[in-house]
Structure formats: C-alpha cells, structure tokens
Amino acid sequence: MSLNKNELKQIEGAIIKLLREEVGPIIKSQSGKYLTETYDDKANQVDLVTKSDKNIEFIIKDKLKELYPTFHFVGEEEYIPGETEIPMEPTFVVDPIDGTTNFIHGFPYSCCSIGLAVDGKSVVGCVFNPHLDQLYHASKGNGAFVNDEPIRTAKRPLTLQKSVVGLEGGADRADSPGSNFDIKMSTYKNLLSDKGGFIHGFRSLGSAALNICYTATGIFDAYWEGGCWAWDVCAGWCILEESGGSMIGGNKGQWDIGIDHRVYFAIRGGCTPEEQHKFAEDFWNQTTGDLKY
C-alpha cells in the first residue's frame, strides 16, 4: 500500500494533534513523580514507569486505530522478542516514553516518538518533548519542522575534528573485552583523544529520538548508537532525512540498513553527500569493533 504526499501530511497532522492534546500533558505531569515516591524500591520504580508507558501506548494505539483501522501497530510495550516483526504494510512504530531514566529523574529530555513505516521505511515521524515544548515532525516529501517552523540545517563543512557527536552509555553495561560496552567506551576514547578523532565534544541527551532530532537540526553533527530498537529511531529517521541528513549503520561499511537494524549512525545535513560519506568513513576508523545486538 502506497501513500501519497497529501495522505502522509494528513497523518502527520493527526499525530501532532494527538501528541499535543493527549500524550504530552501526561508525560509532563508525571515526569519526576516516581523518583520521590519510590526511590528506595527499584522494583516498584520500574513497575510504575512501565505502567505509565503502557497507559500512554494504549491511548496512542486506541486513537490511531480509530483513525486508521487498516494500519498495523508496533509499540515498545507490546513487543515480544523473537516474535514481533514490522510488516511491509503501513505500520505505526511507537515509543510512548523515550528517555525513561530522564523521565524518572525529572530531567526535561523525555519524549514520545511516533513513526509510520511503509515497506520497512520511515515515512512519517513526530517526536514531542513536552517539557521544552519541542515538537519535531516530518513526512516524506513534505519537509521537516519543529513547532511548524521549517528545519533549515545551517550549511557548513562537516569534518570529524570539528564535530559534536551524540553518544550514550546505553543499558548494556556488561564490561568484558570485546563486549558492546567495551567497544563503546574505547571508541569514545578514540574519538575524544588528541591522537584519535579529536572531536570537539560529545553530548548525551538520554533519548535516542531526541538525539536524532538534534542531529536533524544541526545542533549535533552526528549521533552514533547501538542497542536501540525500531521504535527509538523510526520517527526521528524521517525527520533526519527530510532535513537533508542520512541514517546509516553504526558498524563499518553499513551504508543501507533497515529500521530494526539495532546499530545506527545519524549524520546531519547542511553539507554535501560526499562530505557525509567522508565523515562516516573517518568516524568508522575510530571505532574499535562491531557492535552486536
């Protein structure tokens, strides 16, 4: 099933309305709430956050199914490892709360991420951070926006040494030689070292969706991550591409990937494809192994 530009724009608008009117206020009102109530009981803390996730995901699914009854739905809370797949037909791919640790601590970088995939490609994306009232949105062929203002990534050279890169520690902290955590940390050292990439610096927002959106606007030059899921990246992917950026694999030589690849490398626009290609190769040369999930 193909959808034209006008249909995609209409879907984009429906998601924006849902995020602003129903989802955003819930996230904003509950952020930080569970830290004070359940700080001494980690199990309860996790249970409560999951309850919030499930409640928001139910609201989103219920509304989108009402509007688009023939579309499929894949949400983080309903995902079953080894069973759930993203079909080729139009599918909403949803993370009800991205940046859960931020959400628990009241740090204002949690968001809701709603994407639409067709043929395994992201064609609509909306990411809303209600704490800062930042709503990033795009649909294929219609451009990318933040709060309805077009994203115009500043045109400037893209080089590794002059870059600010989004990097995260991730949830996988098993520390042994050759582990994902070991590869990440040693790669970060290479990137920062004056004998390595010597990048300007790195930033961690604690939200994959927001890291991608900040790359789309050019605040970040790139974002490198392993361990994410399709719902973390689907919405941001469309926003990134519609702003002139590109999404490739985080491991060397992975130029063409699917939304469920698990290892991602977002690169901003505002430069030529040749610069993006060179930047990717220079960055990959600083990595110390392949991330595997």
Side-chain angles (χ1 to χ4, degrees), residues 119-122 212 223-225 228-230 233 237 240-241 246-266 284:
D119 294 328
K121 303 290 185 182
S122 178
I212 297 170
Y223 166 51
W224 183 71
E225 181 64 293
C228 294
W229 298 88
V233 304
W237 195 319
L240 178 71
E241 289 192 336
S246 64
M247 183 75 81
I248 58 177
N251 294 328
K252 293 180 181 179
Q254 296 177 337
W255 296 104
D256 186 17
I257 63 169
I259 58 173
D260 55 357
H261 185 69
R262 301 294 314 276
V263 184
Y264 306 93
F265 190 20
W284 282 333

Side-chain angles (χ1 to χ4, degrees), residues 1-260:
M1 177 182 181
S2 61
L3 298 166
N4 62 42
K5 287 173 57 176
N6 291 335
E7 290 171 320
L8 293 175
K9 192 65 180 178
Q10 188 274 331
I11 294 168
E12 179 188 339
I15 296 173
I16 289 171
K17 187 174 188 293
L18 173 61
L19 287 171
R20 282 210 175 276
E21 295 182 1
E22 298 189 50
V23 175
I26 297 174
I27 295 176
K28 188 173 182 179
S29 66
Q30 294 187 353
S31 178
K33 174 181 176 182
Y34 302 129
L35 181 67
T36 55
E37 291 184 0
T38 62
Y39 183 76
D40 293 327
D41 190 337
K42 186 175 181 180
N44 284 345
Q45 185 182 75
V46 171
D47 290 342
L48 283 167
V49 172
T50 301
K51 182 179 178 181
S52 295
D53 283 341
K54 288 182 176 179
N55 179 46
I56 293 171
E57 187 166 306
F58 176 81
I59 291 170
I60 295 170
K61 183 177 182 180
D62 188 58
K63 184 62 176 181
L64 292 179
K65 281 294 183 183
E66 175 188 329
L67 295 172
Y68 306 100
T70 64
F71 288 14
H72 296 271
F73 185 96
V74 173
E76 178 183 15
E77 295 306 316
E78 294 185 356
Y79 176 80
I80 301 174
E83 294 185 23
T84 304
E85 295 183 353
I86 299 174
M88 292 295 100
E89 294 82 12
T91 304
F92 289 110
V93 184
V94 175
D95 191 344
I97 303 177
D98 187 45
T100 305
T101 301
N102 292 342
F103 176 78
I104 293 170
H105 286 265
F107 188 69
Y109 284 90
S110 57
C111 65
C112 182
S113 174
I114 302 177
L116 177 68
V118 178
D119 294 328
K121 303 290 185 182
S122 178
V123 295
V124 177
C126 298
V127 175
F128 186 33
N129 177 354
H131 315 290
L132 302 181
D133 193 29
Q134 294 174 336
L135 203 162
Y136 301 88
H137 52 101
S139 51
K140 189 173 178 60
N142 291 312
F145 303 82
V146 55
N147 294 340
D148 299 320
E149 292 294 324
I151 294 175
R152 295 188 174 92
T153 309
K155 295 189 181 302
R156 63 187 193 277
L158 177 65
T159 60
L160 190 61
Q161 208 172 67
K162 294 182 179 180
S163 65
V164 171
V165 181
L167 303 171
E168 299 286 349
D172 180 4
R173 308 284 179 82
D175 190 7
S176 59
S179 67
N180 288 323
F181 183 69
D182 177 65
I183 290 170
K184 278 189 174 184
M185 294 302 108
S186 56
T187 295
Y188 296 173
K189 182 178 180 180
N190 281 357
L191 289 169
L192 290 164
S193 170
D194 63 351
K195 297 179 177 62
F198 207 22
I199 63 173
H200 270 179
F202 73 93
R203 303 291 181 266
S204 298
L205 296 183
S207 161
L210 290 174
N211 282 332
I212 297 170
C213 289
Y214 275 45
T215 304
T217 62
I219 294 174
F220 289 175
D221 294 287
Y223 166 51
W224 183 71
E225 181 64 293
C228 294
W229 298 88
W231 50 79
D232 296 310
V233 304
C234 183
W237 195 319
C238 182
I239 297 164
L240 178 71
E241 289 192 336
E242 285 297 308
S243 67
S246 64
M247 183 75 81
I248 58 177
N251 294 328
K252 293 180 181 179
Q254 296 177 337
W255 296 104
D256 186 17
I257 63 169
I259 58 173
D260 55 357

